[in-house]
Amino acid sequence: LPPQRWTNSINQASKTSLLAWEKETGIELVQINGQRRYGGPPPGWVGDPPPAGTEVFIGKLPQDLYEDILIPLFQSVGKLYEFRLMMTFSGLNRGFAYARYSSQRGARDAIAAFNNYQVRQGCAIVVCRSTQKRELSVDGLAASVSQQELEAMLHRATQGVLSVTLHASPYQRQAKLAVLKYSSHQAAALAKKTLMEGNLRLRGSGIKVEWLHSDLKQKLQLWEERPPSGQVQEDKSLAVPKPLALPPVVQNVLDHLDTLCRRQRLGTPLFLTKCVQVNPNGWLLFWYQVAIPGYPVPFSGFTWVRQDGQGQSRHEEAKAAVALHLLRVLGEPLVSPH
């Protein structure tokens, strides 16, 4: 089949029922830039858009499920201001959507009602508060690019720049990476589009503009907090608090995380650690990923571990450092003995 015919023939029944629903309700869905939108504002809306904290993220959607099912479902707990379904070129959804309610209460009720809700037999969806991203990363800039030059260009070409920081790129040799912070999600999204269109004469090769990922954020902070060269001062131990050098404490931290996850019915955490850099001063840089079955997204990032610990594996130490971090994230910091 030619691509167009194949695209049209994908999940025909769901598409037909969507069209019938649009016709029957008179609802108009507008598709632009890979997303299909209802409302923003919806028909009959009077006044300003709703305040912050009214949008939820919906994930793990079956890809052939559309607004004829989703909008009535999410509308059942509160008035919708806007609903955005992310779409692929072939006419499937991309597995996630955003629902913005007229009030914060609507968003809270949607999370309570629909997180882990089975939209179909065996298909439980994830619903959580939407984080309004405001930071971009621009990788692949020429090493000669200066802070002033970049700031001047961004102020000319985009609106709402709050800060610009330049770093050595962790991904490309002889290149710089910039982190840009904007005043709102809307301003950041428009800037991303402008920068991606590539008409701005940014100096560099293979320039990549993305939302700033949390693992890159952590990585850049680590890059700046590299272990001191020459004499390592013990009181400056980086991501690994001193008590973790003792094997019993390592076990204790991991057990504590297991217990917490069991108590919150999240399932057992699954750790993946990989040593990615050995520093001549006896520090190891580990990449980690931790999947907690009941948590919508895996945690990943980087942590430093001291090489001269006695007896136990460096991987275990890395896991303990990460477990300490996760205990803080999950709201139960472990007070470590000094």
Side-chain angles (χ1 to χ4, degrees), residues 176-192:
K176 284 186 179 172
L177 179 143
V179 173
L180 322 177
K181 188 168 186 175
Y182 282 85
S183 55
S184 68
H185 175 69
Q186 193 74 20
L190 287 170
K192 180 171 181 275

Side-chain angles (χ1 to χ4, degrees), residues 136-159:
L136 302 174
S137 67
V138 182
D139 193 16
L141 294 167
S144 57
V145 167
S146 74
Q147 178 96 12
Q148 284 120 315
E149 181 191 347
L150 187 60
E151 279 185 11
M153 193 217 70
L154 290 167
H155 281 294
R156 271 200 314 274
T158 68
Q159 300 281 308

Side-chain angles (χ1 to χ4, degrees), residues 222 227 238-240 274-287 302-309 313-315 317-318:
L222 280 166
L238 292 159
V240 187
K274 184 178 174 184
C275 183
V276 290
Q277 188 183 325
V278 179
N279 189 290
N281 306 320
W283 290 86
L284 305 175
L285 181 63
F286 277 83
W287 171 84
F302 295 82
T303 188
W304 288 103
V305 171
R306 193 81 179 94
Q307 205 167 5
D308 61 3
S313 130
R314 297 291 75 77
H315 282 272
E317 281 197 26

Side-chain angles (χ1 to χ4, degrees), residues 231-292:
Q231 200 48 47
V232 174
Q233 296 158 306
E234 278 310 319
D235 62 330
K236 280 198 177 166
S237 63
L238 292 159
V240 187
K242 253 183 176 165
L244 290 187
L246 309 169
V249 178
V250 168
Q251 205 38 59
N252 180 10
V253 173
L254 293 167
D255 289 348
H256 197 81
L257 181 64
D258 269 359
T259 309
L260 176 68
C261 288
R262 264 207 310 280
R263 208 169 61 228
Q264 296 191 2
R265 294 196 170 79
L266 295 170
T268 307
L270 202 69
F271 283 81
L272 196 61
T273 54
K274 184 178 174 184
C275 183
V276 290
Q277 188 183 325
V278 179
N279 189 290
N281 306 320
W283 290 86
L284 305 175
L285 181 63
F286 277 83
W287 171 84
Y288 67 84
Q289 186 167 53
V290 186
I292 299 177

Side-chain angles (χ1 to χ4, degrees), residues 41-116:
W45 180 270
V46 177
D48 295 332
T54 51
E55 188 173 76
V56 298
F57 167 81
I58 305 153
K60 293 195 176 174
L61 288 170
Q63 285 193 274
D64 59 345
L65 197 68
Y66 298 124
E67 292 89 342
D68 55 319
I69 305 292
L70 293 168
I71 288 179
L73 181 68
F74 281 88
Q75 193 108 28
S76 69
V77 292
K79 183 171 172 55
L80 279 178
Y81 174 76
E82 184 179 60
F83 190 91
R84 296 181 292 132
L85 184 62
M86 304 302 132
M87 301 298 293
T88 69
F89 289 121
S90 62
L92 291 165
N93 79 56
R94 283 168 54 201
F96 67 101
Y98 294 91
R100 192 171 175 195
Y101 284 88
S102 59
S103 68
Q104 291 174 346
R105 184 183 170 174
R108 280 199 302 273
D109 290 350
I111 294 167
F114 300 128
N115 189 33
N116 288 326

